[in-house]
Amino acid sequence: MRAIVINRWLKGPGELEVKDIPVPTTKAGELLVKVDSAGANFFDVLMIEGKYQIRPPLPFTPGAEFSGTVVQASPSDPRFAIGDRVFGSNVIGAYAEYIAVPSIQCYPIPPSLSFEQAAGIYITYPTSYAGLVLRARVQRDDWVLVHAAAGGVGIAAVQIAKALGARVIAATGSEDKFDICLQQGAEHCINYRDSDWTDRVLKLTGGKGVDVVYDPVGLVERSLKCVAWNGRIIVVGFAAGTIENVPTNRILLKNVAVTGVHWGAYARNEPERIPEVWNALFKLAEDGLIRPVMFQPIFYGLDQVKDALKAIAHRETYGKVIVKPAESSAPKL
């Protein structure tokens, strides 16, 4: 099969190469899935450069999110049969024509979702749901400020907050992404690169400030200027590239709770929460309240992974970036 293979730490996505390698052999409890679509992420860029917190042993195939069809089922998991449509995630392996993955890391694709849509929900939507519901406990009529609102987790957060009855202010790094945020349910949009964006948030909320800040960027310190008394700030990530040193006296003065969300760690620390979150998300999808947004164009062929990751690294995308390994015809075992 064809796959992206990393034999050394790269300087960037432009150095990615496609190789012919054997189809992976499944272990006990694993499925073999023919990959239809793979979801691209910013951390893929960090991983291939050896800068991510997880450094797989070389050589490896990057890519963490996928959807596809089961071609070899696991006798120990009766949920899946050959031919089933599934989506899932693994630390590595998705930028390939086939992936072997533990069945517990897969779910059936809801009938309302396509392969392309399903490839981008495994990380973004549960992260946003856990942050907004489990950590921040968003309530109806809360003001929620979502940073990087046009990105993968950002759009998920906008949709989920809206479904919860909140009022959403979408913050992006450029005004050309305002329309996509408004289409997903945001009531207002701001550009967090403007020097006075915190003043605009205060004006939009009648001087009160927002009840919840959802921050995948690294804007906690500045957000403290426009968060309400008893506000909740969710630390989701550091897309800006630096980890902030926040003056804690300002947290105290506004009675603010700053909390993190690490969805990937729930499997180890609170596994009982995982089905709770997924069942809630599947219900929201069934009710039409959330729907994955895919960046256009979709990237066809593994040779295009480099272009997909370049676009993400250069902040040229919105929603979820999708790569389809097969350029036209399906690969054969």
Side-chain angles (χ1 to χ4, degrees):
M1 71 170 188
R2 284 164 53 82
I4 298 290
V5 178
I6 306 299
N7 290 305
R8 58 181 174 82
W9 302 120
L10 308 181
K11 294 181 180 179
E15 297 182 349
L16 288 170
E17 295 181 349
V18 181
K19 304 282 189 179
D20 287 316
I21 62 173
V23 173
T25 302
T26 57
K27 301 174 184 176
E30 290 188 336
L31 306 175
L32 182 63
V33 177
K34 183 176 74 174
V35 178
D36 180 280
S37 302
N41 293 283
F42 178 70
F43 62 75
D44 294 335
V45 178
L46 299 178
M47 185 176 286
I48 65 174
E49 295 174 353
K51 298 176 181 177
Y52 192 52
Q53 58 219 33
I54 299 171
R55 288 166 60 99
L58 300 170
F60 70 93
T61 292
E65 290 182 286
F66 66 90
S67 65
T69 304
V70 176
V71 295
Q72 183 179 321
S74 170
S76 63
D77 192 338
R79 293 183 304 153
F80 302 108
I82 292 173
D84 284 353
R85 298 193 324 146
V86 298
F87 72 97
S89 180
N90 201 40
V91 175
I92 56 175
Y95 294 139
E97 293 178 334
Y98 291 88
I99 185 172
V101 61
S103 64
I104 59 172
Q105 294 168 204
C106 297
Y107 290 91
I109 297 177
S112 60
L113 298 184
S114 66
F115 280 117
E116 294 84 359
Q117 291 171 321
I121 64 175
Y122 197 95
I123 295 173
T124 53
Y125 278 84
T127 295
S128 295
Y129 188 92
L132 294 171
V133 177
L134 303 187
R135 305 299 287 152
R137 301 190 181 280
V138 170
Q139 304 296 312
R140 179 172 294 278
D141 294 327
D142 275 352
W143 279 105
V144 177
L145 172 64
V146 178
H147 288 304
V153 292
I155 282 181
V158 170
Q159 292 181 352
I160 292 168
K162 191 68 177 177
L164 295 170
R167 295 169 290 180
V168 180
I169 300 174
T172 70
S174 62
E175 294 182 7
D176 59 1
K177 296 181 179 179
F178 283 5
D179 284 348
I180 189 70
C181 296
L182 294 171
Q183 291 166 12
Q184 305 314 308
E187 296 184 25
H188 307 281
C189 294
I190 61 168
N191 186 338
Y192 57 68
R193 299 189 191 280
D194 292 342
S195 59
D196 63 345
W197 68 264
T198 55
D199 293 333
R200 175 141 172 77
V201 171
L202 288 171
K203 183 176 180 180
L204 289 171
T205 58
K208 170 193 171 186
V210 292
D211 301 289
V212 175
V213 177
Y214 183 90
D215 183 18
V217 179
L219 292 168
V220 171
E221 181 177 5
R222 295 194 65 189
S223 297
L224 283 167
K225 296 179 180 179
C226 59
V227 71
W229 170 261
N230 280 336
R232 292 91 76 196
I233 298 178
I234 316 160
V235 178
V236 185
F238 313 98
T242 58
I243 296 176
E244 295 179 273
N245 293 313
V246 179
T248 53
N249 63 310
R250 291 168 57 192
I251 297 173
L252 179 151
L253 291 173
K254 284 192 171 182
N255 226 37
V256 173
V258 179
T259 181
V261 60
H262 184 183
W263 174 247
Y266 273 81
R268 180 174 66 254
N269 296 295
E270 290 185 85
E272 69 279 6
R273 290 290 205 175
I274 294 175
E276 172 190 340
V277 168
W278 278 115
N279 288 338
L281 288 171
F282 289 146
K283 182 64 166 60
L284 290 174
E286 181 183 335
D287 292 343
L289 296 175
I290 60 172
R291 193 166 186 82
V293 174
M294 297 172 295
F295 176 73
Q296 298 296 329
I298 290 174
F299 294 86
Y300 284 85
L302 291 170
D303 291 329
Q304 297 298 307
V305 171
K306 63 178 65 176
D307 293 327
L309 295 184
K310 283 179 184 178
I312 293 174
H314 295 158
R315 301 178 185 271
E316 298 170 351
T317 65
Y318 58 83
K320 196 68 183 184
V321 176
I322 299 298
V323 177
K324 294 179 77 70
E327 296 181 16
S328 54
S329 60
K332 298 183 181 298
L333 280 170

